[in-house]
Structures are given as C-alpha cells and as structure tokens.
Amino acid sequence: MSGARRRGTKGTEVVVVTGATGGVGRAAARAFGARGAAVALLARGEHALEQAAEEIRRAGGRALPLVVDVADAEAVDAAAGRVEAELGPIDVWVNAAFSTVFAPVQEIRPEELRRATEVTYFGFVHGTQAALRRMTPRDRGTIVQVGSALAERSVPLQAVYCGAKHAIQGFTESLRCELLHDRSGVRVTMVQMPGLNTPQFSWVLTRLPRHPRPVAPVYQPEVGAEAVLYAADHPERRVYWVGGSTVATLLGQKLAPGLLDRYLARTGYDGQQTDRPVDPARPANLWKPPDDTAPDDYGAHGIFDDEAHARSLQFWLSRRRGPLALAGAVTGVAAAALAGGLRRRAG
C-alpha cells in the first residue's frame, strides 16, 4: 500500500467526516471544502451541522449535513448510502466523532462508560465498516482515523477516552493487516493528535472540581486538520504523529513507561484542569448534543485561543525531510518539548 492517493479534480472528491460540528472534525471538513471537495458531515447537532455546512459552502465546497448518531451502525450505513446517492462514490472517510467522561475510574458510572465507548470506539468501527462496504468493491478509497497520543500513552482522569482510543488503534492495526493480505487498494492510516483547543472541554461530562483543559502545549484544531488532509493524500504511512509533545510522549512511553507513570501521577491532575471551578450549569454531550438548537454552535475552537499554537514545526519537518534528517529533527523537537513540559511542571 504505497504511493500517495491521487486527489480528484475540483468538485469530484467526496469526503465523509464524522464528528464534523466541532474541533478537528469541523476544521478538517472546512479544509476539505476549501479545496473544492463535496463533504458529507455526520453529527448529532442539527443547528451546528447547518452552520458547518454553510462554512464549507463559503469556502468553495459542496456540503451534505446528515444528523447521525455514530453509535447506531444502521444509521451510519444508511448515511453512507445517501452520501453515495447524492454526492458520488466516497473517496475519503474521516472518523473523528467521540464523547467521553473526565473523572477518576471509580467515579465513572457503567452506563456512562458504555455510552462513551459506543460513540468513540464503536462509532469508528461503524464508520470504517460502512466505508469498506463501498470502497472494497471499487478497490480504492482512504480511511483516516483521528487518533491521539493517548491511544498509545494513557493519562489519569481520561480512562474512558484512553481505553477507546487504544481499542481504535488495535482495530485499525488488524484492518491494515487484512488489507495488506488482500492486496487491497483501500488504505487506512491513523493520525495521533496532541492536545487541541477544541470545544470538548466546555461540554464533556466531568466530575472534576475545576474546568477541564487539554494537556499543554496546546495546538489549534487547524493543525490537526492539516495533518488529516495530508494523511488522506498520503495514506502509505501507517501512522502520523502531530506535535512535538506527541513525539515526546510516545518516545517516553517506549523508553521509560514506568517513569512516565510517576510523572503523570504527579502532574496529570493539575495539568488537565484550569484554575476555574466547573460551572454546574454547563452542558454535557454524552447523551445529547449541546449544539442542536440555535444559537448554540461551538465551532472548531475551544476557549484556549490565547495559548494555542497555530503551527507544528514537528509536523512540517516530518512532511519535508528524508528519514535520517526526520529522525534527528523529531528527536530534537521532542527533547525540547519534553524539557519545556518538565520546566513548566517544575515551575
């Protein structure tokens, strides 16, 4: 499975994005639209879907908003059928939808764990299977799994999310082997994201005393979207790491996982909460979308614009350097990111 996927001419590329109303899903859908793609947006919030669709149209693409709960396999497959009927054969399927609970393990209720896993893990499975049913007979197409550094290195207070992301990685690795065995022209790749400035921290179900936040350093969702588009065009690489912090975390997990356990035990609680107490009236998107009626539309960005980076030097280098140069550059960026993180925690 080598070689870049050939992108269609303007208006011919058909892309499906799940979780398309917020965060990296919203930013990626908009970016695909900006290059003229026809984009199907799958999410639960009707109002936010219409707003996201309008952004794509203004950017120059076509949009098909579809109200879908990705935990429902039949609904996802029906949506895929409608996409092909109205837009044409699906070229790219991006799985980005998720929901989770911020809480210590002993405070997570069984029904919450089940629901979050159905959305996050099974939502990816349902989307992947719906795409495969249509791509495999044509022997072409690309599936992009929006992952996280937390798919390979878990952190405290996010057992629900980390468990689902680990499961997605295992599922995707099995699928990749099967596609290689079948000599299939369908490709699958995964993009491991850093902490992103997305709205999830304002609507995730939480039992923390203070407002949840992404682990620093924080990147804008457009950084993740750029990586998703690049992965869609170059799916020959099995996984993409985005951000120096992701590289530092995953290298640390490979080299000294026990040390990383202790480091995260010391820093992981404060590092995932702001100084502001949780608003008891805040929405929670686990059971219903917080953006399904006007005027609610959280968009792509969260509340951390003042600290979020708009570029990732590491990802820029990974796209442009040869293997040896890339290894040196990544190691340098990772070391700098890890040292910076340690200095911030020490301070």
Side-chain angles (χ1 to χ4, degrees):
M1 295 193 299
S2 61
R5 185 184 63 83
R6 180 169 295 178
R7 187 173 59 191
T9 58
K10 181 178 177 65
T12 63
E13 183 182 37
V14 176
V15 181
V16 177
V17 181
T18 73
T21 55
V24 68
R26 177 83 166 252
R30 186 169 58 227
F32 276 113
R35 72 185 198 182
V39 186
L41 305 100
L42 276 58
R44 293 176 299 162
E46 184 173 1
H47 172 69
L49 273 170
E50 290 297 338
Q51 298 301 306
E54 185 55 33
E55 286 182 357
I56 289 171
R57 295 177 188 121
R58 288 198 301 267
R62 297 165 59 199
L64 177 62
L66 298 173
V67 177
V68 177
D69 184 342
V70 295
D72 184 339
E74 291 184 0
V76 173
D77 194 67
R82 183 174 168 188
V83 171
E84 297 224 325
E86 297 192 26
L87 300 180
I90 297 168
D91 297 299
V92 179
W93 187 293
V94 179
N95 285 308
F98 78 95
S99 187
T100 188
V101 181
F102 267 78
V105 168
Q106 61 188 5
E107 297 181 23
I108 302 167
R109 297 167 187 164
E111 63 272 19
E112 296 166 349
L113 175 58
R114 184 179 302 107
R115 170 61 179 167
T117 303
E118 287 172 350
V119 173
T120 307
Y121 172 59
F122 284 106
F124 272 60
V125 171
H126 298 156
T128 300
Q129 290 185 318
L132 288 171
R133 290 185 192 106
R134 290 150 181 89
M135 293 177 176
T136 301
R138 296 191 290 264
D139 199 33
R140 63 180 176 85
T142 297
I143 300 167
V144 181
Q145 314 286 43
V146 176
S148 167
L150 304 188
E152 301 185 44
R153 169 65 242 188
S154 295
V155 297
L157 305 177
Q158 292 207 57
V160 174
Y161 181 81
C162 293
K165 287 297 184 180
H166 274 70
I168 291 165
Q169 176 153 314
F171 170 82
T172 301
E173 289 173 353
S174 291
L175 170 60
R176 185 181 296 111
C177 292
E178 292 172 7
L179 294 173
L180 285 167
H181 171 270
D182 296 341
R183 301 184 184 275
S184 174
V186 178
R187 293 167 170 80
V188 60
T189 186
M190 196 162 185
V191 185
Q192 308 293 46
M193 299 292 181
L196 296 173
N197 174 34
T198 72
Q200 66 144 316
F201 302 97
S202 295
W203 69 37
V204 67
L205 176 60
T206 179
R207 294 201 171 88
L208 305 181
R210 291 174 281 143
H211 193 290
R213 58 154 294 139
V215 176
V218 182
Y219 295 84
Q220 294 289 22
E222 286 78 13
V223 174
E226 179 186 9
V228 167
L229 267 68
Y230 189 81
D233 291 340
H234 303 83
E236 65 277 4
R237 191 185 301 183
R238 64 194 306 275
V239 63
Y240 288 88
W241 292 356
V242 181
S245 56
T246 297
V247 177
T249 299
L250 300 185
L251 289 179
Q253 173 66 10
K254 293 179 184 299
L255 298 174
L259 181 62
L260 201 51
D261 286 345
R262 291 170 173 80
Y263 172 72
L264 290 168
R266 291 197 309 271
T267 65
Y269 278 62
D270 284 342
Q272 295 184 88
Q273 299 178 76
T274 69
D275 295 330
R276 199 173 76 212
V278 168
D279 181 357
R282 61 180 271 142
N285 81 329
L286 185 61
W287 304 109
K288 64 178 184 178
D291 50 6
D292 59 347
T293 58
D296 295 324
D297 176 27
Y298 288 81
H301 285 212
I303 62 173
F304 302 100
D305 278 332
D306 58 340
E307 64 173 286
H309 301 286
R311 297 285 185 274
S312 167
L313 174 61
Q314 171 273 334
F315 189 70
W316 184 88
L317 288 169
S318 75
R319 292 169 52 177
R320 289 164 173 80
R321 300 295 182 94
L324 293 178
L326 172 60
V330 165
T331 301
V333 171
L338 183 58
L342 290 171
R343 284 196 297 271
R344 280 192 293 275
R345 297 304 182 209

